Every structure is written in C-alpha cells, then in structure tokens.
Amino acid sequence: MPVPNKPSTLGPALDDRWTRYCLEIAGRRAFGWVVVGAVAFVLQLALILVFAVDTALPAALLLFSVLVLGYGLTRRPPRTELLGDHAWVHVRVHWSAGLLVVHGPRPLVLDVSAGPLARGRINRHRRAWVVAPDRTGNTVVTFRGVPKLFPAKVVRR
C-alpha cells in the first residue's frame, strides 16, 4: 500500500500513516549519520593502530567522526508527545521575515527551522498541517510532499 504524500486530518496525528512514515524516515536518517560516524572512527583507529599512519589524516577522521556522531545523535525525530491525541489541522501558510504565518482557525506565527529547499516547496504550495501547540508554544508542522516533521515554536498568536 503506497504512503500518502500528506497527513490525514481524521484521528490522532500519531496514528496517521504519514506521521509514522515521517518518523521512520527521521529514524533512518539519524541511524545513517551514526553509522557514518562510527565507520570514520573505526577507520581512523585502523590507520593509527594497524597501518601506523603518522599524518594528519587520522586526526581529521577523528574530528569528522565526532562531529558526525554528534550530528546523528541530535537529529532525533521530533518529540512525539507533542502529537499526542491532537489531529492534524490543514491550514494556509506563507513566509514573512523568516517566520511561518499560519492562516487558520487559530492564526499563529511560528519559528520553523526549515532549509531553503523546504521553504521553496512551502512557498509554492502554501499549505501545511499543524498540530495544536502545547502550553509552552511547541508544535509540529508538516508539508505536502516533504516527508519530515518540523518542530516549531509559537512566536505570536
């Protein structure tokens, strides 16, 4: 059965196939970065212990492995407790001064850390799905065709 390219607004967001797909992809990405970092670490150990390489390459590989492992370990999927029992809400959006302006039943201005490719796609579609924010203003946003859940923070309501 194919995976849809957008979330469903029926039922809890955590039970949605799109949400589960996005969480699975995020887990795979994080695991991939951890594996790359571990391979770089083992390679630098082999260069030092087995081949007795005395250049700057092992030090560069050690630095690379630490950075990649740190990146992979911090690239966890968004906190699923934000999704809870809330359903996705389909809204119209646009970017203004680097913030995502949400036009919906509850207008919001969100600080979303999306890269330039995702921002371009969002500008073309101008649609998003948002979960109701928690008490501290944290929420999750997703966009059609972008299999990623973007953590967001409410700046203004």
Side-chain angles (χ1 to χ4, degrees):
M1 184 180 306
V3 175
N5 65 352
K6 63 181 180 171
S8 169
T9 56
L10 306 172
L14 204 51
D15 294 340
D16 184 50
R17 281 189 339 182
W18 172 259
T19 305
R20 288 192 308 259
Y21 176 68
C22 290
L23 291 172
E24 180 181 320
I25 295 257
R28 284 185 197 163
R29 276 190 202 122
F31 179 73
W33 283 112
V34 169
V35 167
V36 167
V39 166
F41 183 75
V42 169
L43 183 60
Q44 75 84 25
L45 276 180
L47 286 174
I48 291 173
L49 299 176
V50 176
F51 300 111
V53 174
D54 209 18
T55 63
L57 182 62
L61 278 174
L62 179 62
L63 178 64
F64 176 76
S65 67
V66 168
L67 291 175
V68 169
L69 279 170
Y71 180 75
L73 292 174
T74 59
R75 300 295 294 178
R76 299 268 180 215
R79 299 184 325 224
T80 54
E81 66 267 8
L82 290 175
L83 300 172
D85 294 332
H86 302 290
W88 289 109
V89 178
H90 181 255
V91 293
R92 304 290 290 169
V93 296
H94 76 274
W95 291 103
S96 175
L99 300 172
L100 187 69
V101 179
V102 176
H103 308 282
R106 294 180 58 201
L108 301 169
V109 177
L110 302 175
D111 184 14
V112 181
S113 60
L117 293 176
R119 284 180 187 257
R121 180 170 232 149
I122 295 160
N123 275 336
R124 280 193 304 279
H125 293 292
R126 296 188 181 259
R127 292 180 281 195
W129 285 262
V130 180
V131 173
D134 64 6
R135 278 186 241 124
T136 59
N138 295 316
T139 186
V140 177
V141 182
T142 191
F143 307 97
R144 181 184 192 128
V146 182
K148 184 175 179 183
L149 302 178
F150 294 90
K153 180 82 172 165
V154 175
V155 178
R156 289 183 303 242
R157 290 182 188 241

